[in-house]
Amino acid sequence: MTTRRTFLTRGALAGAATLAAPAVVRAQDVIKWRMQTYAGAALGEHVVKPAVDMFNELAKGKMEIELFYSDQLVPTGELFRAMQAGTIDCVQSDDDSMASPTEVTVFGGYFPLALRYSLDVPALFYKYGLDQIWKDEYAKVGVKHISAGSWDPCNFSTKKPINSLADLNGLRVFTFPTAGRFLTQFGVVPVTLPWEDVEVALQTGELDGLAWSGITEVYTVGWANVTDYFLTNEISGAWIGHFFANMDRWNALPPEMQALMETCFQQSHYYRQHWYWAGEASLRVNETKLKLTTIPSEEWKAVEDAAVKFWDEIAAESEVKAKVVSIIKTYNETMTKAGVPYRY
């Protein structure tokens, strides 16, 4: 039994020990993440670095994201596996380029003719339900889908002019996996290369052109210096890209860091919308390195019709793909019925 004397003695000794103990203030360890983007350094300055800089500043030393550009840590095609394994904490990419093992991968990047404008992307994700589908599919493979946003449209930039569909035949083109799969029916030969090797490949003749971006990227990254023509017909009106994170690393973050990251990445999506939207028009009008060409609309309709057939082929592959295609069709039908300015 504890007597009054032992209680007082022990209590006094414990209190004295507490008072005598030196006050040690241990600074909380900074949370450090490594993030890799699909973009090279010149493009990354616009499409991701401002968001990372903003996050690091607002995190006030509690967390820091170290940014790496295309292929710096791992090749782009290995980004998903590296993130899933925890080698990289966070990734900015489309699903298609990083070979995600999900049912929605085929829709990442440029799904042929599914989008007309950049606003179509957030509308589809946050008003038509694609966001939840992506979150569910990535959760199955241990990855957090943070958010989706739009980038630029997809056009051909080539060393020879394209004025008809026949001019596409035999063109060796750097493009995305799904876009390449679609374009082969028109004679295009898709070529896979590291992003940083594209400029040299255009100079050496290994590539005849690219179908990777709109005109803003072609000028920004220097491809306008090694190509001569830009086709105004679009394979897609916007690129679908995302921010992802390793699920365990994401779950380990304090809620305020999760919220801050989501906010900064949404700001990144907003920045790209006006940067690309203004850039595409301005460069077509005010720059002269690339000569603009156009395939007549009556001929280009064959590509548009082929795209709808391609959607049906993809829809037949799984229930999830069929659900996404159905949403894309419903959305486009609504936009078409709404008329100008939604669809012309």
Side-chain angles (χ1 to χ4, degrees), residues 8 23 28 56 71 117 122 141 154 193 195 214 240 242 248 260 271 273 282 284 293 316-317 320:
L8 290 172
Q28 184 179 2
N56 289 338
D71 303 319
Y117 307 116
V141 290
C154 185
L193 289 171
W195 191 91
I240 302 176
H242 315 266
D248 291 338
L260 180 60
Y271 173 84
Q273 281 219 318
S282 178
R284 288 190 186 194
T293 66
E317 294 177 355
V320 172

Side-chain angles (χ1 to χ4, degrees), residues 141-200:
V141 290
V143 167
K144 166 68 177 180
H145 175 261
I146 299 173
S147 60
S150 62
W151 272 250
D152 50 339
C154 185
N155 303 74
F156 284 92
S157 182
T158 56
K159 301 178 75 170
K160 72 173 189 178
I162 300 174
N163 295 299
S164 69
L165 290 181
D167 292 332
L168 297 176
N169 191 42
L171 279 183
R172 293 163 298 174
V173 170
F174 175 64
T175 190
F176 292 84
T178 299
R181 173 181 166 185
F182 171 70
L183 291 170
T184 54
Q185 64 187 292
F186 301 102
V188 171
V189 180
V191 179
T192 301
L193 289 171
W195 191 91
E196 294 288 357
D197 293 344
V198 171
E199 185 170 346
V200 173

Side-chain angles (χ1 to χ4, degrees), residues 89-138:
D89 303 289
C90 188
V91 164
Q92 181 202 44
S93 179
D94 67 288
D95 322 70
D96 208 17
S97 297
M98 69 177 191
S100 302
T102 76
E103 291 291 335
V104 296
T105 295
V106 70
F107 302 103
Y110 294 114
F111 192 57
L113 280 296
L115 308 167
R116 183 66 61 88
Y117 307 116
S118 58
L119 275 176
D120 290 341
V121 177
L124 278 163
F125 272 81
Y126 302 112
K127 293 296 183 182
Y128 277 71
L130 293 193
D131 183 61
Q132 191 59 54
I133 294 174
W134 257 249
K135 281 178 168 49
D136 292 343
E137 289 303 304
Y138 275 94

